[in-house]
């Protein structure tokens, strides 16, 4: 729109600004803003302008630059010039991208869609092996589950829970420390799961082991003992614990090593293992409820009272106690409970539906090798309620 | 248990007794058809505790009951030592030391058998064999018609080829090696062959004429077999445990000397050891113990007078009387009560005689502060919230097959650090589980007919080998959840993890919380498995299960799973 003054504006001399244009002087290549009042003259007219510089030639740098670009020598322009020309929209820089394309390994002429999820059909046909899957984004959070809430459980038993977090136990803690002789049938291959690996317990309590050995083989603490040759290798044999009484033994051992005796009540409910064939009433693994009370002056009456309290909580109130035999408790007993839900369904005759539970008893003093003095009457009710899924439902 | 036909009422005080009949028994075992014509007489099935050898036969049981009912006094068992040179001798040679070193013997003189008594005699031996003799490994009993043999007897050990005799109820002679083969398929005896089979020398008892009495613990000789007409019985017990051999001998002779011409008297025999020393058997020892009445009362929780306690004990075959100024009880323990090892055994008998159900039940006044194990407390709280999130709890077996924790999950068993069982009855119990996942997948497989989606969880222990523990292995408390549906539902399992972390107050960031990072897992679908990091360690994995895992567990739908160790959060 403006007039390139070097060519047409008569009001200028070569090399100088347009004198009659009120605008500030333009640099080389500038134009007079419209409307330049100066009349346009024919190109070839050489009108002498008073005061204008007469030059033989006009040096047009812009033209020069643009010509160079046209000739393909755009790189010869300086950054500044190029920027200026671009700004003046005289020069347009266009980026030409070119690609090398080759067939890749996954090339196909069919378009394959990426799977998002595994489906049942893919599993059934095995087609997942051939399909590509979209990768997951692990940095996103998952979908929040819809949750209900329950008030927190506030059962506070008067018993302290024993640690029972070892299914693998040594024969020492499972049998020997409980005065069960090494030739006892329960230590047989068909009643106990012995371990192939790890086969032996690396560590047994040294001093205590010696005492246990003595009581088994020679007697002690008022006991005649079993009078047989007690072998350390047999005590080291690892097994899957057959009762949680081994945990009680460990706990009582720790209690005995305390400076001062304090009465305790312990309980545990955990898994035990017996090497039996499975049938409708027998499992190889089941849960055992175990309770131990250690205090001075405890009696069989206390044991029975505690067991009755325990069963009452399960809704069982009719109990009978009968003598039984346990190598590690003396006196020992079994509890028989009458449970209305079990027993003879209509039509069959039979004995009343008493079911056997809870063997228990007072810990025999041969366990006193643990160092507990003569007064505390340790007794224990290993409540061997053999709970397994079938009966749990009935016991509710 | 024992089965008797009794015509009089038996008191249900001592041990568990239930009623049955021969007809019932056959009916249960073989069906009602076979039971037709069998006896209807009421039989009593009695559970005798494992340490009461004196109650293993009818004679002992009846005797015990009659003493308890104060109808008779406990008989006094007498050992009669024959004049010098007249008694029986059993000479042990040193060859027995390597195979079966101990032997004891006695004679039942002028005994009168009837069919029932004879059957009972044989039966008691079998019961003792199963019980205290530990299936003949510790002690084996042999009873012989003394009138068919002549002492002195020799207990020695010889090479199998050198032993030859006609075994009980056979028609010809066999060498010891042949006897092994002969009884290899015998349902009863084959279980005992291993006790001596691979020894260089087999034990054998001869009389002075080379007649074989027996080859313990396998079989007696036919020559000396006893019958209803036998009048003099030579009883020998051989074994590897001398204490038990003595107890066994005592039991046999005390029980059946009742039928001797001089009841309850036993003729002693002399055993000569390799070093020349001798010993008279049976021991028939009576032992005296003193127990304070207060101790008995205190331990049981009753308050009986000393004389009343003495009476209770006497009724239990422990003859007692009050001594001192009435502050002590002296108890005589007969040879039939080898189970009395300690004062507490005496206390137990007093309690039994008193009647457990007569003891007043009390609660101990022990004051203690209660505590739940933190790990279990955490487990309980998590369980509730997981159920609230719509997942169902499962409780699965801790034992499983090797494939379950290795091959089916695309791993090699050696990489699992699994604890291995030496004597599993079935392949289902080969190892202890190192992950909860197989259990849950098997649960789903057993519940395929249930409507989808199946959302299960379990918080329970797994077991791994750990050389840093005293037994060489330890448990870890794991939490595992699976989602089984037409689509894998990874976002649901992921969401569950987020929820659990929220409950544990662990924020979703790397510095002080938890984070998940893509990883590969052999049980997981490639590209859809992540490892979970928290508390500075890797705590588990989650992801979509690999289709191979799904098919190996006999499932058909996609499944995603999550398993972490929760112990770092306790």
């Amino acid at each position: 729109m403006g007039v390139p003054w070097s060519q047409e504006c008569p009001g200028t001399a070569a090399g100088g600004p347009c004198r009659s244009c009120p605008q500030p002087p333009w640099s080389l290549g500038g134009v007079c803003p419209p409307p330049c009042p100066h009349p346009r003259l024919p190109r070839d007219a050489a009108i002498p302008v008073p005061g204008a510089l007469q030059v033989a030639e006009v040096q047009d740098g812009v033209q020069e630059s643009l010509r160079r670009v046209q000739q393909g020598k755009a790189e010869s322009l300086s950054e500044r010039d190029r920027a200026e020309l671009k700004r003046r929209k005289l020069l347009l820089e266009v980026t030409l991208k070119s690609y090398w394309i080759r067939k890749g390994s996954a090339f196909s002429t069919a378009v394959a869609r990426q799977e998002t999820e595994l489906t049942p059909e893919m599993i059934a046909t095995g087609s997942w092996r051939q399909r590509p899957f979209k990768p997951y984004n692990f940095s996103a959070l998952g979908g929040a589950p819809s949750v209900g809430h329950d008030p927190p459980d506030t059962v506070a038993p008067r018993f302290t829970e024993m640690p029972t977090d070892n299914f693998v136990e040594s024969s020492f803690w499972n049998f020997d420390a409980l005065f069960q002789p090494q030739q006892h049938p329960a230590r047989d291959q068909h009643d106990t799961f012995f371990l192939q690996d790890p086969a032996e317990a690396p560590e047994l309590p040294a001093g205590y082991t010696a005492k246990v050995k003595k009581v088994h083989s020679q007697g002690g603490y008022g006991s005649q003992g079993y009078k047989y040759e007690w072998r350390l290798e047999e005590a080291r044999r690892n097994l899957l614990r057959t009762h949680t009484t081994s945990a009680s033994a460990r706990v009582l051992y720790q209690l005995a090593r305390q400076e001062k005796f304090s009465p305790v009540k312990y309980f545990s409910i955990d898994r035990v293992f017996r090497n039996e064939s499975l049938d409708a009433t027998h499992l190889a693994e089941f849960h055992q409820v175990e309770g131990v009370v250690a205090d001075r002056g405890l009696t069989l009456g206390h044991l029975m009272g505690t067991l009755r309290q325990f069963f009452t909580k399960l809704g069982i109130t009719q109990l009978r106690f009968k003598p039984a035999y346990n190598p590690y408790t003396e006196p020992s007993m079994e509890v028989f409970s009458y449970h209305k839900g079990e027993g003879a369904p209509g039509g069959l005759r039979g004995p009343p539906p008493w079911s056997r539970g809870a063997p228990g008893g007072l810990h025999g003093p041969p366990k006193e090798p643990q160092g507990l003095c003569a007064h505390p009457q340790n007794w224990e009710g290993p409540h061997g309620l053999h709970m397994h899924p079938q009966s749990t439902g009935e016991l509710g | 248990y024992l089965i008797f036909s009794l015509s009089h009422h038996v008191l249900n005080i001592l041990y568990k007794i239930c009623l049955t009949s021969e007809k019932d028994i056959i009916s249960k075992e073989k069906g009602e058809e076979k039971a037709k014509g069998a006896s209807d007489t009421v039989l009593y099935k009695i559970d005798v505790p494992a340490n009461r050898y004196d109650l293993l036969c009818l004679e002992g049981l009846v005797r015990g009951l009659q003493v308890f009912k104060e109808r008779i006094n406990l008989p006094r068992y007498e050992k009669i030592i024959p004049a010098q040179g007249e008694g029986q001798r059993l000479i042990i040679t040193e060859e027995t030391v390597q195979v079966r070193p101990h032997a004891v013997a006695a004679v039942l003189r002028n005994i009168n058998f009837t069919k029932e008594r004879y059957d009972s005699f044989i039966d008691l031996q079998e019961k003792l064999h199963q019980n205290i003799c530990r299936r003949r490994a510790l002690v084996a009993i042999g009873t012989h018609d003394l009138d068919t043999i002549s002492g002195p007897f020799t207990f020695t050990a010889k090479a199998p080829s050198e032993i030859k005799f006609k075994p009980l109820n056979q028609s010809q002679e066999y060498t010891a090696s042949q006897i092994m083969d002969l009884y290899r398929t015998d349902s009863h005896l084959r279980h005992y062959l291993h006790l001596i089979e691979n020894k260089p020398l087999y034990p054998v008892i001869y009389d002075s004429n080379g007649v074989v009495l027996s080859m313990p613990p396998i079989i007696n000789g036919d020559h000396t077999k006893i019958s209803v007409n036998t009048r003099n019985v030579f009883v020998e017990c051989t074994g590897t445990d001398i204490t038990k051999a003595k107890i066994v001998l005592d039991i046999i002779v005390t029980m059946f000397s009742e039928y001797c011409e001089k009841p309850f008297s036993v003729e002693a025999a002399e055993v000569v050891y390799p070093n020349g020393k001798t010993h008279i058997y049976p021991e028939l020892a009576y032992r005296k113990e003193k127990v304070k009445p207060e101790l008995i009362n205190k331990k049981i929780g009753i308050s009986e007078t000393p004389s009343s306690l003495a009476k209770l004990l006497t009724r239990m075959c422990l003859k007692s009387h009050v001594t001192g100024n009435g502050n002590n009880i002296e108890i005589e323990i007969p040879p039939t009560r080898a189970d009395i090892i300690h004062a507490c055994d005496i206390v137990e008998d007093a309690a039994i005689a008193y009647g457990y159900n007569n003891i007043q039940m009390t609660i101990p006044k022990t004051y203690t502060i209660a505590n739940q194990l933190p790990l279990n407390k955490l487990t309980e709280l998590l369980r509730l919230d997981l159920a609230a999130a719509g997942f169902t709890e499962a409780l699965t077996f801790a034992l499983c097959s090797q494939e379950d924790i290795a091959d089916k999950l695309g791993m090699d068993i050696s990489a699992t650090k699994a604890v291995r069982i030496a004597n599993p009855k079935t392949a289902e119990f080969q190892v202890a589980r190192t992950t909860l996942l197989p259990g849950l997948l098997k649960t789903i497989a057993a519940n395929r007919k249930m409507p989808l989606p199946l959302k299960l969880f379990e918080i329970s222990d797994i077991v791994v080998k750990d050389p840093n523990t005293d037994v060489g292995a330890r448990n870890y408390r794991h939490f595992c959840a699976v989602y089984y549906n037409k689509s894998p539902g990874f976002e649901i399992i992921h969401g569950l993890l987020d929820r659990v972390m929220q409950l544990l107050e662990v924020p979703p960031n790397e510095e002080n919380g938890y984070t998940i990072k893509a990883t590969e897992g052999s049980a997981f679908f490639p590209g859809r498995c992540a490892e979970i990091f928290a508390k500075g360690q890797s705590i588990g994995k989650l992801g979509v299960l690999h289709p191979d895992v799904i098919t190996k567990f006999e499932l058909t739908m996609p499944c995603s799973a999550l398993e972490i160790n929760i112990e770092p959060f306790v």
Side-chain angles (χ1 to χ4, degrees), chain A residues 157 161 183 188 196 275 330, chain B residues 134-135 348 370 376 420:
Chain A
E161 197 170 8
Q183 314 131 330
D188 241 352
Q196 193 180 83
N275 194 359
E330 194 81 19
Chain B
R134 195 85 182 286
R135 277 183 288 270
E348 183 184 56
N376 289 342
R420 191 185 285 279

Side-chain angles (χ1 to χ4, degrees), chain A residues 163-178 192-195 198-201 203-205 234-251 273, chain B residues 419 463 469-475:
Chain A
T164 52
D165 55 348
N166 58 320
F167 292 163
V168 172
E169 190 57 277
S170 60
S171 289
F172 180 77
W173 287 110
N174 198 76
F175 292 126
D176 295 280
L178 298 173
T192 304
F193 284 114
F194 286 100
L195 295 192
E200 286 196 343
E203 227 182 273
L204 294 179
E234 187 63 38
R236 275 200 198 282
R237 284 176 78 189
N238 273 342
L239 42 81
L240 290 178
R241 66 177 176 217
T242 59
H243 44 206
T244 43
T245 319
S246 52
S248 302
R250 284 176 181 269
V251 151
F273 304 85
Chain B
V419 165
V463 185
T469 63
D470 69 335
V471 292
R474 62 159 295 173
N475 289 11

Side-chain angles (χ1 to χ4, degrees), chain A residues 179 209-221 223-228 230 365-369, chain B residues 341:
Chain A
F179 202 48
T209 308
K211 287 188 187 167
V212 167
K213 171 175 177 168
K214 182 156 176 288
V215 175
H216 275 243
S217 50
Q218 299 164 30
Y221 304 94
S223 169
Q224 300 276 314
Y226 291 123
K227 296 194 166 57
Y228 70 98
W230 190 87
K367 288 204 65 228
E368 273 163 35
Chain B
I341 302 180

Side-chain angles (χ1 to χ4, degrees), chain A residues 328-370:
Chain A
Y328 47 84
T329 56
E330 194 81 19
S332 313
M333 59 178 44
E334 280 180 353
V335 182
F336 288 76
S337 58
Y338 181 83
H339 181 59
K340 289 209 183 68
E342 290 173 22
L348 288 175
R349 59 186 174 87
W354 292 92
S355 68
R356 208 189 88 162
L362 286 166
H363 258 305
K367 288 204 65 228
E368 273 163 35
Q370 294 185 354

Side-chain angles (χ1 to χ4, degrees), chain A residues 114-115 133-138, chain B residues 527-528:
Chain A
Q114 275 192 326
E115 304 291 347
F133 283 82
K134 260 178 82 170
Y136 266 4
N137 171 17
F138 288 114
Chain B
R528 271 140 174 68

Side-chain angles (χ1 to χ4, degrees), chain A residues 38-88:
Chain A
H38 308 115
R40 287 163 207 259
L41 294 176
R43 207 170 266 269
D44 292 331
I47 301 168
V49 176
L53 277 173
Q54 301 286 344
V55 288
E57 231 177 65
V58 174
Q59 195 81 1
D60 188 348
V62 175
Q63 194 181 48
E64 175 62 44
S65 305
L66 287 176
R67 276 225 184 94
R68 273 200 266 164
V69 171
Q70 216 174 23
Q71 285 157 12
K73 295 189 201 142
E75 293 83 41
S76 60
L77 295 179
S78 72
E79 260 312 312
R80 220 182 104 216
D81 294 348
R82 266 189 280 167
E84 186 62 39
L85 289 173
K86 277 198 273 193
R87 199 171 49 78
R88 287 178 69 178

